[in-house]
Amino acid sequence: MRYHPLTADDRALMLRSIGVDTVDDLFTDVPAGHLVEGLLDLPKGRSEISVERALSRMAGRNRAAGAGPFFVGAGAYRHHVPASVDHLIQRSEFLTSYTPYQAEISQGTLQVLFEFQTQVARLTGMEVANASMYDGSTATAEAVMMASRLTRRTRAVVSGGLHPQYRDVIDTVATGIEVAALPADPTNAEDIAAAIDDTVACVVVQTPTFYGHLVDLAPIAEAAHAAGALLVAVFTEAVALGAIEPPGALGADIAVGEGQSIGNALNFGGPYVGLFATKKKHVRQMPGRLSGETVDADGKRGYVLTLSTREQHIRRDKATSNICTNSGLCALAFTIHMTLLGEKGLSRLAHLNHARACATADALARVPGVSVLNDTFFNEFTIRVPGEAERVVERLAEWNILGGVPVSRLDPSAPGDLIVVAATEMTTEEDIAEYAEVLGGLK
Amino acid sequence: MRYHPLTADDRALMLRSIGVDTVDDLFTDVPAGHLVEGLLDLPKGRSEISVERALSRMAGRNRAAGAGPFFVGAGAYRHHVPASVDHLIQRSEFLTSYTPYQAEISQGTLQVLFEFQTQVARLTGMEVANASMYDGSTATAEAVMMASRLTRRTRAVVSGGLHPQYRDVIDTVATGIEVAALPADPTNAEDIAAAIDDTVACVVVQTPTFYGHLVDLAPIAEAAHAAGALLVAVFTEAVALGAIEPPGALGADIAVGEGQSIGNALNFGGPYVGLFATKKKHVRQMPGRLSGETVDADGKRGYVLTLSTREQHIRRDKATSNICTNSGLCALAFTIHMTLLGEKGLSRLAHLNHARACATADALARVPGVSVLNDTFFNEFTIRVPGEAERVVERLAEWNILGGVPVSRLDPSAPGDLIVVAATEMTTEEDIAEYAEVLGGLK
Amino acid sequence: IHEPLIFETGHVATTGVDVEEPAAFESRLGGHARKTPIDLPGLTEPETMRHYVRLSRQNYAIDLGLYPLGSCTMKHNPRLNEKMARLPGFADIHPLQPLSTVPGALELMQELSHWLCAMTGMTAVALSPKAGAHGELAGMMAIRAAIAAKGETRHVVLVPESAHGTNPATAAALGYKVESIKAREDGTVSVEAVKEKLSADVAAIMLTNPNTCGLFEPEVKAIADAVHEAGAYFYGDGANFNAIVGKAKPGDLGVDAMHINLHKTFSTPHGGGGPGSGPVVLSERLAPFAPVPFLRADGTLVERADEAGEGEMPFGRLTAFHGQMGMYVRALAYMMSHGADGLKEASEDAVLAANYLKAQLADVMSVSFPDRPAMHEVLFDESFLKGSGITTLDFAKAMIDEGYHPMTMYFPLVVHGAMLIEPTESESLPSLDLFIATLRDLARSAREGDTARFTEAPRLAPRRRLDETKSARKPVLTYEPPAPYQEAAE
Amino acid sequence: IHEPLIFETGHVATTGVDVEEPAAFESRLGGHARKTPIDLPGLTEPETMRHYVRLSRQNYAIDLGLYPLGSCTMKHNPRLNEKMARLPGFADIHPLQPLSTVPGALELMQELSHWLCAMTGMTAVALSPKAGAHGELAGMMAIRAAIAAKGETRHVVLVPESAHGTNPATAAALGYKVESIKAREDGTVSVEAVKEKLSADVAAIMLTNPNTCGLFEPEVKAIADAVHEAGAYFYGDGANFNAIVGKAKPGDLGVDAMHINLHKTFSTPHGGGGPGSGPVVLSERLAPFAPVPFLRADGTLVERADEAGEGEMPFGRLTAFHGQMGMYVRALAYMMSHGADGLKEASEDAVLAANYLKAQLADVMSVSFPDRPAMHEVLFDESFLKGSGITTLDFAKAMIDEGYHPMTMYFPLVVHGAMLIEPTESESLPSLDLFIATLRDLARSAREGDTARFTEAPRLAPRRRLDETKSARKPVLTYEPPAPYQEAAE
C-alpha cells in the first residue's frame, strides 16, 4: 500500500521488539470471536489511476455550476475564488496541521485566526468574533442558545424571512428553547417587533432574507432591547455586507452568518464556514475557539487559543457548547480572500453582484407571466412563475439552465409558485438573456 | 492592477525622493520620439475571472488526451502523474526560486538536482548525469557536439531509427558537424556498424527507435569504439529503461533522452526535461549545470553548482554550450515521481506499459488489412494501414480516437501508410477494443 | 520572524482583486446601502502571497515531521484526495440545484455510506454531521428520539471519566444528567461499574473504544449487553475507530450509534482545526431516527421531515444542506485507495507502531497501563519525572526544540500529567526510531537534572512560551490600532 | 536541518505508487529485457511528501521575500497562471495529435504572437526556443541564414563587454569570431566604438538594451543605423525588456531580432533554474528565416521545412515539437491580466523602484553610473568597501543573515565587485524601505569595521559558506554509498 512505510521486515522486527509473534497478539482484548477476517464485503485497494477514474466518473455525472447559466443561491453562492487562495490553503503547513494547541509552533494558524476574527468583527460591525463555526445554520442555532444563556430566558422568536433550513436546525438543536417561528414571509410584510415580549430571549432576523428582501434591523433591535431581549442578526451572503449597513451598526447583539461566499467553493453544501460575532461583554458566553494576542517569554507578540475555560475539553458538561472542531481551513480561505479584496475590492464586488442581480430581475420581470416580488434586494430575489416552481426549475435544467431554488423545496408550507433567484459576479449578460428567453418559452 | 503594490501616493513620494517630476523623466535616454504612448493596439487589463474565461474557452477547443481513447506517442507519452508530484512542485519554495547561485539558501534545489543526477545516472547505467537539459532533442544535439569536442572529429552518423525531429535539430544546431543520416528505418533493418569509419565522431542510435523497435546497442558500441568513435544512445521513453537493458550496460559513451514520461504532463510539447548522462572521464566536456556535493564552513554536507568553468556565464565564448537555463522544475517533477516509483514501481510500471502495448498490437494486428511491423517493442510500435495514414488518423479523430502519429507527418520521405501507435498504463481495454473496432470499420 | 498583521500593512484603498465595473444601473438597496466604513485593509496579490506563505512557515505540520498527538490521529493526507475534492463535478455544485442534476453526488454519498456501514457492521448512517462532536449530538439525539418513540423518559447518561470532553458536553447540551464511571486500575471500564449505575432512568452510555488510554475495552460486549438489558443505548465514540478498522466491527460489539471522524480515521486534512466531518452510523434500532437529509437504500434523498415514509422518524435537521461533501470525497478516495486490505493494514500498522514505542520506551518513561496491549496510542504519565522539577508541559515543550510536535498532554484525566502518544501508520521505522531515541535522550536529561533544557524550552520555535494567563485575563481578540493612529484617524 | 538523501533512506523494494498487475501475456522485449539492476530506491508517499517539503524549506523564494537578483527579474508569479497552464485542454494535449484536434492551442500561440509583436513593434515571432539562450541561437541563426540568402559570408559578431555570457557563447557556437566592444565611462556603448569595429565581415552586433549596467543605451538608434548601413544585423538581447514594455519598442529602435525571456518579463516561474521560454521576435527582414514550426498570419502551422511556401525560408528546427506551451499559457495569462495599461505600469514601477533604491543608497554605497537614470536595475560596485577587508561576496553573504537573497554579484564585468540590484515592480514601498534600511545598516557596519558580520556570514542559513573549490577539484556528482555498505552489497 503506497501510504504505508512499514515493510514486512520492519514489522517482523517490531513484533520481536514488542515480544509477540503476530500482530493479532496485540488485539487479544477484542472479545473472543469478534476479531474479523478483514472486510470481506469491500473491494481491495486500488491504484491512484483507478481511484481517479472512479471518482471522476461520479463527478462527471453532476452538472457543475460553471457548465452553463446558473442562478442558484438560497444560502450558498457561486463566487470567483482567486487562484492564489486555493493555492495558499493547500500549503502543507496550513493543510496538514492540527488545532493550534501548541502555540509556539502554530503561530501561522493562530495569527490567521486573529486576522479572521478581526475581519469578521469589522465586516459585521461587531466588537468581537470567534475563530469560526461549522456553518451559518449551526452558528445561528448556537447564537440562540447563547442568547438564552445570557438572558436566562427560553423563548426565541424567529422571523419568517429566516432560511427554512436554518429554522429547522434551531428547532432541532436548541434543546430546552421554545421556538416561536413567524410564518414564512415571501413578501417582507412581517411585523417582528409585535411578536416580542419580555419572555423572549432573542429575536432571530435574517437580512437579506431568504427571499432576498433587505430588512431594517434598527427598529427590531430597539423593540428587542426594550423587552430585554437580544437581536440575533443572520446573513447567508457575506458579500452583501460590502453593500449594506452591517448588523453591528443597527443594534444587533449577535451577528451570525455563512461565510462561504468569501473564499470557499460551493462543495454541494460543505465544508463551509460559520461566522459568529458579538459584543465584548458577551464574550465569555460565546461558543467556539478564540485566538488571542499575548506575548512570549521574550516579550515578543504572539497568539494563543484563549478563554478555553468555556470549552468542552476543559469544562466537559459545563461547556458553552459541545463544538470542538472549527472550520479552520475555510476560515483561512475566507481571510486570504478578504485580504485580497480589502474594503475597496469588497465594495466593488458587492456593487457588481448587485448590478448583475438588478439586470437579472429586470430581464425576468419582462417575461410574460413572471413577476418579481422584491422592492429591495442585494444579489438575490424571489419570482412568481406561472405553474409549479419545482417543475419550472426542472424544465429549465433540461435546457441546461439552473434557474434558482423553488421555495417549496425547502418549505412545503410556502406557495408553490415561487423561485429564489441569485446572481453574482459570475453571471454574464448572456446567461441572463438565455434564462429570460427559455423561461419565456416554457409551456 | 492587482499585482502592483505601489500606490499613487507611494509613486509620488518615490519620485520626490529621486528628484524628478514624472516617471517619464527616468526614460530620458530613450531616443527622442521613441517613447511610446502605451500599447494602443492591445486591450486593457482584465479581471481574473475574465482571463480565466478567455483561456478556458481556448483550452476547451482542444481535445484533451483524457477525453477518449488515446494512442499518441512518438516522443511524448501520456502517463499518470501522482497528485503529490504536482502538489510538491508548486510549493512556493521550489516554484518561485531562481537558479541556485547562492548555495547556502538554495540547498533544497541543489539536493534535488543531486538526487536527480544520481537517479538519471543509475537509470541509464552511466556514471554521471547533468542537472537536465531543455528536452530530449536538444540534449541529443548537445551530445553530438560534445562527442565532436571529445574526439576532435566532425562527422556524425545518425541512425534512421532516430526521431525525425531530433535529426532535424542535430542538422540545424550542430554547426560545423557533418551529419550522415541513414535512411528512415521503419523495419529495423539498418546496419549501423557498417556506416562507421575512423572519421566519425559519434554514432547516434535511438532505442526503442522512433518506430518502436528495440536495438541491440552492444555491437554498435563495439564497432564505434573500434573506430575511435563514441556511441550516443538516445531514448524518448524513459519508462522503457525500467524494462530494457540500459545504454550504460551496453557500451554507450553518452546517453541522452527525453524525461517527460516521468512526472511531466504532455503540455503540447513543452516544457519537458532532457536527460544527459556520460562517463566520469568526459564530465568536463559535458554541457549543462551540475550540482556537486561538498561541505560548508562547519563541515556539514551540502551541495553547490559546480564545474561552472564549463559554462557561458564564466567562459563566455569558450563555454561548452550556450545553454543557461535548465529544466529545473521538470527535473524536480521527474525526481519526485521517480522517488515515489523506486525500482519496484518503475519495473511494474514498465511491465504494465509493455502489457498494454502488446494487447494493443495484438488487437490491431487482427484488423483486416492492418499489419504490425515490429518483432520487438516496448510500449510503441508501427502499423501499416490500408490507405493514407494521415487520412486514417483524421478519420479516427472524427470518431474521437487519437490513433497515433502518421510517420509521414514528421518525415515526408517515409512511406505514407505507417502509423506509430503507443500505449501506456493509461490505456484501457475498452480503449483498445474501440480503436480496433473503429479502425476495422473505416472505409 | 515577526510577521506583521494585515491591519498594520494593508490599506482600505488597496486591493488584490480586479473587479469589473458594471454599467450604470438603478440600485435596489433601498435605504439599506452601507454608510458605515468597514475599515478592512487589503493587500495586493504579491503581498498577500508572501504574508501567508511566511505565516505558514510558523506552523508545524504532518508534512514536516512526526505529529504524535494522541487521539488526534495526525496521519498522511494524500494529495490525490485534495485533487478529487476539487473536481468541478464535486466542488462546483450547489446543494440546492435540482437533484436530477447531481446523480453523481448522490452516488458518492451512497457509496460512502456503504463503506461506513460495511466497516462498522451497522445498518444506516447519517452523513450530515459537520464534525465529531456534531456526530455525537446526532447519535444522542437519535437515542433520545428512540426512547421518546417508546413513550419513555430517561434522564441520565453514563460517561467514563476517561471520555473525551465532548461526550459529557453533548449529553449536557441535550439536557441529560451526566454520571461519571471510574476506570479500573488497568485503565478499562468493568461491566460491574456500569451495572452499578444502570437503572430505568439511564438513557445511554457513551463509551470510547479503544478508550482514551489507548486500550481496547475487554468487557465491551458485556457492557453492551447490560446496557441493552436496562433498556438503554450504547453510544460509541468513534474517535479511535482507526485502531480497529478491518479488525473488529462496532456493530458486532453492540454499539447502537457511533460517529466517525473522517478527518481522523480516513485522513481528511485537519487544516489547523477543521473542517471535520462526523457521520454517525446507527444500529437497526436507531436507523429510523436518522436526521434529514438521509439517503434511502434505493438512493433517493429525503430532504425534509414531511417527506419521510413509513417507519422513517427523522428527529430533525442538524445543519443546512447535505453535510461535508468535500470531506466525503476525500474519505471515499482514501477508502478506495486502501481497500479492505489496506484499511486493515493501516489499523495493524498503527497498533504495531504504538506498541513498538511502548516497548522501546517502557524502561525510561512510565507507561500508565503496561499490562494490556496498547492499541493505536500509548499513554504515559509523569511519574518518571517525579522529583525532577520537570512537568509534562516542560517535557512537551522540550520536544519542540528537538523538532517534534509534542504529544497530547494532560489528557485523559485518569492519570497524572498524561502524555498520550499516537504515532499512526504513516511513520517509517527509521522515523519511529529517531523519535524513540529523542525521547530517550530527553528522559535521560530529565533524570540527570538538566532542568533548563525543559523549563526554558522551547528555544528554537518561532516563539518561546506564550503567556496564556495574560491572554485569558484581558483577552485581546481583535486588532486595535495603537493609540497614535487612532488619534490621527479621529 | 540535515535532510538525508533518498539513497540513504529508500529501498529498491519500497514504492509510493501502486501499479496494477496485468494478466499474463507474451513479452515482445526480445532479448532486450533488463538484466542489470537499476539500484533506484523508492519511498512511500508520506515519506516522499515529507522529504521534499522539508527540502523545499531550505530554499529562498520570491514568495518568501524580496529577491533582488539583477538581470534575473524575480517578480511575482501569479497562481492564476499556474491554474490556467494546468487546464486539461493545455496540459493534457499531445504535440503530435492531429492539428484539427487542437485549434485552441494554435489560437493561443497566435494570440501570444500578436501580443509579442505588438509590444516589440516587430513583424514575426519564432515561439519554439526553449529559453533565452536558445532564443539567441534562433535569432543569430536567422541572421546567418539571411546573410547566406544574400550570398554573403561574414565572420564577426560584435559584443559589448557588458553583455550576458550567453551572447558571446552563442556567437561562438555558430562559428563566429567574437569581438568585444568597450563601454564608455558612463556604462553605455558609443556609436563611434561600434563604427570602429564595423566592416563587411561583421554579421551582427548583439546588444542588450537596457544594458546589464541597468542603463538604456542612448545611442541605440544611431548604432542600429550604423550596423544596418554596414549590411549587418542588430541582435537585441531581450533579457531586460521588462524595463521598457509599453515605453519603447525595439522594432522602432532598429532591432532585427530579439529573444524574450517569458520567465523574466512575463513572470513564468523560474522553478529553481527553469524551464524558461525564449521566443524570438524578428524584423521584416528576418521574418522569412524563422525556424519551423512557425505560424503563418492565417493561423496555419508550418511544421516541416518542406512545407514552406513562397518567401518562407526556415533555417531549420531548434527543438522537437512546438516549444514551451506551458510557458506560453502562463505568459499570455500574465499579459491579458495586465493589459496594455498594466504592462506599462509594470515597467514604470520597476524603473521607479530601482531609481528609488539608487537615490536612497547613493550616499552609503557606490553607484557605478550615477549620472544616468537607472532603468529597472541599479549597479553598485565595491568601492564603498575599499579598505574594509570586505568583498562583494562577503557583503552578499551578510545579506542572507538579514533574511534577503543577495543581489547579482560580480556581473557585469565592467566594474569591480559588481552588485546588480533589481527590485522589480512587485515590491511594496514598505518592503523597499526595509531593504534600504538593511543595506544602509550593513554599509554602516562595513564602514565601522564590523568585519566578522560579513566574513563569517551566513550564520543563519541552512548552511554556512560551502566549499566550491573542493567540489570543483574533486567533483562528487552522484551519490555513492559509503564503503561498508558497498562491501555488504558485494
Side-chain angles (χ1 to χ4, degrees), chain B residues 1-5 11 15 17 24 27 29 34-36 39 43 45-46 52 57-59 61-63 65-66 72-73 76 78 86 90-98 102 104-109 111 114-115 117-119 122-123 135 137 165 172 214 241 243-245 266-271 280 283-284 289 292-298 301 303 306 316-317 322 325-326 329 335 339-341 343-344 354-356 358 362 376-377 394 408-409, chain D residues 3-4 6-8 12-13 15-16 20 25 28 32-36 38-40 42-43 51-52 55-56 58-63 67 72 77-79 83-84 86 89 91-94 96-97 100-105 107 130 133 141 163 169-170 172 246-247 252 270-274 303-304 317 319-322 324-326 336-342 345 349 360 372 375 397 425-426 462-467 471-472 476-480:
Chain B
M1 214 281 123
R2 61 189 179 271
Y3 302 145
H4 296 166
R11 292 184 186 112
L15 286 170
S17 158
D24 279 352
F27 287 88
D29 278 339
H34 285 99
L35 206 61
V36 300
L39 301 161
R46 295 162 78 167
E52 209 169 308
R57 187 193 56 73
M58 287 187 208
R61 296 180 67 204
N62 301 323
R63 199 285 213 178
V72 190
R78 178 167 188 248
D86 195 47
Q90 290 190 70
R91 290 265 309 168
S92 286
E93 293 88 339
F94 284 134
L95 186 76
T96 76
S97 60
Y98 198 70
Q102 297 287 344
E104 298 86 353
I105 47 175
S106 307
Q107 287 297 302
T109 293
Q111 182 169 334
F114 187 80
E115 292 182 353
Q117 290 167 188
T118 306
Q119 285 177 333
R122 293 188 179 187
L123 183 68
D135 67 1
S137 66
Q165 293 188 335
T172 303
L214 299 175
L241 296 178
I244 65 172
E245 273 293 272
L266 286 171
N267 287 329
F268 200 53
K280 259 188 191 159
V283 70
R284 281 168 205 274
R289 290 197 191 122
E293 185 185 311
T294 186
V295 292
D296 79 354
D298 293 340
R301 180 171 74 179
Y303 305 88
T306 192
R316 300 177 75 84
D317 52 330
N322 90 325
T325 306
N326 69 358
L329 204 66
T335 294
T339 298
L340 281 167
L341 286 167
E343 183 150 350
K344 180 175 169 184
H354 187 46
R356 293 279 192 263
C358 288
D362 291 346
T376 61
F377 59 86
E394 283 290 346
S408 56
R409 175 167 171 190
Chain D
E3 183 65 19
I6 52 170
F7 309 100
E8 294 163 328
V12 291
T15 182
E20 199 186 319
F25 67 99
R28 317 296 155 84
H32 305 278
R34 192 183 253 275
K35 290 171 282 286
T36 319
I38 321 181
D39 197 16
L40 268 180
L43 293 174
H51 176 64
Y52 290 104
L55 274 186
S56 78
Q58 300 192 18
N59 270 3
Y60 194 86
I62 186 70
D63 281 354
Y67 210 133
C72 299
N77 298 142
R79 288 315 189 284
K83 184 176 172 185
M84 293 298 95
R86 284 169 172 81
D92 194 28
I93 56 175
H94 192 287
L96 296 177
Q97 66 189 68
S100 61
T101 65
V102 287
E107 181 187 351
K130 294 263 173 181
M141 282 186 159
T170 301
K247 301 300 292 182
D252 293 353
H270 292 65
E303 289 192 285
R304 293 192 319 262
R317 169 179 279 278
T319 176
F321 315 127
H322 314 294
Q324 308 286 66
M325 182 67 168
M336 291 169 86
S337 293
H338 277 77
D341 48 339
E345 188 175 275
D349 282 359
Q360 296 278 320
R372 297 193 168 281
M375 297 305 289
K397 298 299 182 194
E425 70 276 15
S426 299
R463 289 292 181 286
R464 305 209 43 211
R465 278 193 219 186
L466 288 147
D467 188 343
S471 166
V476 178
L477 304 176
T478 56
Y479 174 74
E480 284 175 35

Side-chain angles (χ1 to χ4, degrees), chain A residues 83 113 145 228 230 361-362:
Chain A
L113 294 179
M145 293 188 280
L230 303 180
D362 290 348

Side-chain angles (χ1 to χ4, degrees), chain A residues 1-5 11 17 24 27 29 34-36 39 43 45-46 52 57-59 61-63 65-66 72-73 76 78 86 90-98 102-109 111 114-115 117-119 122-123 135 137 165 172 175 214 241 243-246 266-271 280 283-284 292-298 301 303 306 316-317 322 325-326 329 335 339-341 343-344 354-356 358 362 376-377 394 408-409, chain C residues 3-4 6-8 12-13 15-16 20 25 28 32-36 38-40 42-43 51-52 55-56 58-63 67 72 74 77-79 83-84 86 89 91-94 96-97 100-105 107 130 133 141 163 169-170 172 246-247 252 270-274 303-304 317 319-322 324-326 336-342 345 349 360 372 375 397 425-426 462-467 471-472 476-480:
Chain A
M1 212 283 126
R2 60 190 180 270
Y3 302 145
H4 298 166
R11 292 185 187 111
S17 157
D24 278 351
F27 286 90
D29 279 338
H34 286 99
L35 206 62
V36 299
L39 301 162
R46 295 161 78 165
E52 210 169 308
R57 187 193 57 74
M58 287 186 209
R61 298 180 66 204
N62 301 324
R63 198 285 212 178
V72 190
R78 178 166 189 250
D86 195 48
Q90 290 189 71
R91 290 263 311 165
S92 287
E93 293 88 338
F94 283 135
L95 187 76
T96 76
S97 60
Y98 198 71
Q102 297 287 344
E104 297 86 353
I105 47 176
S106 308
Q107 287 297 301
T109 294
Q111 182 168 337
F114 187 79
E115 292 182 353
Q117 291 166 189
T118 306
Q119 285 177 332
R122 292 187 180 187
L123 182 68
D135 66 2
S137 66
Q165 293 187 334
T172 303
T175 299
L214 299 175
L241 296 178
I244 65 172
E245 273 292 270
L266 286 171
N267 286 329
F268 200 53
K280 258 189 192 161
V283 72
R284 282 170 205 272
E293 184 185 312
T294 187
V295 294
D296 78 355
D298 293 339
R301 182 171 73 180
Y303 305 89
T306 192
R316 302 177 73 86
D317 52 331
N322 90 325
T325 307
N326 69 358
L329 205 66
T335 294
T339 298
L340 282 167
L341 286 166
E343 183 149 353
K344 182 176 170 185
H354 188 48
R356 293 281 193 262
C358 289
D362 290 348
T376 62
F377 59 87
E394 284 291 346
S408 56
R409 176 168 171 189
Chain C
E3 183 65 18
I6 52 170
F7 310 100
E8 295 164 325
V12 291
T15 183
E20 200 186 318
F25 68 99
R28 316 294 156 85
H32 305 277
R34 191 182 254 275
K35 291 171 282 286
T36 320
I38 322 182
D39 198 15
L40 269 180
L43 293 174
H51 176 63
Y52 290 104
L55 274 186
S56 77
Q58 301 193 17
N59 270 3
Y60 193 86
I62 186 70
D63 281 354
Y67 210 132
C72 299
M74 293 301 287
N77 299 141
R79 288 315 189 282
K83 185 177 173 187
M84 293 299 95
R86 283 169 173 79
D92 194 28
I93 55 175
H94 192 287
L96 296 177
Q97 66 188 68
S100 60
T101 65
V102 287
E107 181 186 352
K130 294 263 172 179
M141 281 185 161
T170 301
K247 302 300 291 184
D252 294 353
H270 291 66
E303 290 191 284
R304 293 192 319 263
R317 169 179 279 278
T319 176
F321 314 129
H322 314 294
Q324 308 286 65
M325 182 66 168
M336 292 169 86
S337 293
H338 278 78
D341 48 339
E345 188 175 274
D349 282 0
Q360 296 279 318
R372 299 193 167 281
M375 297 305 290
K397 297 300 182 192
E425 71 276 16
S426 299
R463 290 291 180 287
R464 304 207 46 210
R465 279 194 218 184
L466 288 146
D467 188 342
S471 165
V476 179
L477 305 175
T478 55
Y479 174 74
E480 285 176 35

